[in-house]
Amino acid sequence: MLMTAFGGFLSLLYLAMLVLAVVALGMAVLYRDDAYRAAGKQNKGFWLIILGVAVAVNLLVPMLFLQIAGLVATIVFFVDVRPALKHVSGGGFGRRRGSSSDGPYGPYNGGR
């Protein structure tokens, strides 16, 4: 009985790690490459490889220490990289706020 409950708990834990890695990989894909450079983080290709390996390990290799390494990379992306990308990108996945006549230093309204 106890072993069955522990096995179910581990299955849920593995599933949660997989879902987090897939979500992080999806977010890493959506941000532009220049946002990574502007935020002072590793480039987009680096994060795509790291998070892709984390997803592959969670799917294919049932070794807990490798899955924990992938989880650490996923947590680093969520806690450090994503907020920096969000700040540089203006809040989201390349979304811009303001009017369509806004330039890089403010609105182009002829000085009005």
Side-chain angles (χ1 to χ4, degrees):
M1 172 76 176
L2 183 62
M3 291 303 288
T4 305
F6 185 69
F9 173 73
L10 278 181
S11 295
L12 287 175
L13 184 65
Y14 292 152
L15 180 64
M17 288 191 297
L18 174 64
V19 167
L20 281 175
V22 168
V23 169
L25 181 62
M27 288 182 176
V29 167
L30 292 177
Y31 282 106
R32 295 175 20 178
D33 189 34
D34 58 346
Y36 288 86
R37 288 190 304 267
K41 303 299 175 188
Q42 291 287 336
N43 61 8
K44 183 176 183 175
F46 173 84
W47 282 106
L48 291 178
I49 290 170
I50 294 294
L51 295 171
V53 167
V55 169
V57 163
N58 280 315
L59 283 174
L60 304 173
V61 183
M63 300 175 94
L64 186 60
F65 72 94
L66 290 176
Q67 290 174 326
I68 290 175
L71 179 64
V72 168
T74 302
I75 290 171
V76 167
F77 181 81
F78 275 120
V79 172
D80 183 42
V81 178
R82 184 174 168 258
L85 293 173
K86 204 170 178 184
H87 177 70
V88 168
S89 296
F93 305 112
R95 292 183 301 215
R96 294 192 50 159
R97 296 184 188 153
S99 102
S100 62
S101 66
D102 283 352
Y105 305 109
Y108 293 124
N109 59 7
R112 290 179 252 166

